[in-house]
Amino acid sequence: DLNNVGGWAYLTAGSKGIILYRESLENVSAFERHCTFDPIEVCSQVDMHTSLLQANDNDCCGSVFSISTRSIIKGPASKPLIEYATQFDGTYVIVTN
């Protein structure tokens, strides 16, 4: 899923999982999947919505986040998704915080 620009995948890591997103041929980004509005709630896990390149959590925190611009499209969240540092060598992605 990460072979193409715009591709994404989930990792089982972080607080509620991590979204890996292929931004360009040279860059892969990583975002925490918990909603920044109420990250402690069990249901506050965001999911990718592929046609809009955004993460949605309408069931629990009601927020929508843009992966490409790292912004909030719809609240009540007042902070964007937490982004992890990444290193990408064209084959492997290293994610750190």
Side-chain angles (χ1 to χ4, degrees):
D1 295 332
L2 292 175
N3 288 332
N4 299 312
V5 173
W8 55 272
Y10 295 134
L11 290 180
T12 304
S15 171
K16 300 217 186 287
I18 293 176
I19 299 168
L20 290 180
Y21 175 67
R22 182 76 179 262
E23 289 192 71
S24 66
L25 292 175
E26 300 82 26
N27 191 30
V28 175
S29 298
F31 300 90
E32 178 60 55
R33 287 185 68 190
H34 72 238
C35 176
T36 56
F37 175 67
D38 196 359
I40 296 172
E41 287 294 321
V42 173
C43 62
S44 68
Q45 185 178 52
V46 297
D47 295 307
M48 284 296 290
H49 189 277
T50 57
S51 65
L52 302 173
L53 296 177
Q54 65 190 27
N56 295 297
D57 179 11
N58 292 320
D59 294 335
C60 190
C61 85
S63 299
V64 179
F65 305 90
S66 171
I67 295 296
S68 59
T69 64
R70 292 154 172 77
S71 62
I72 303 160
I73 295 173
K74 176 184 164 203
S78 61
K79 296 179 183 177
L81 293 176
I82 294 170
E83 186 171 2
Y84 292 100
T86 59
Q87 295 177 345
F88 179 55
D89 68 3
T91 303
Y92 297 100
V93 179
I94 298 171
V95 179
T96 57
N97 63 0

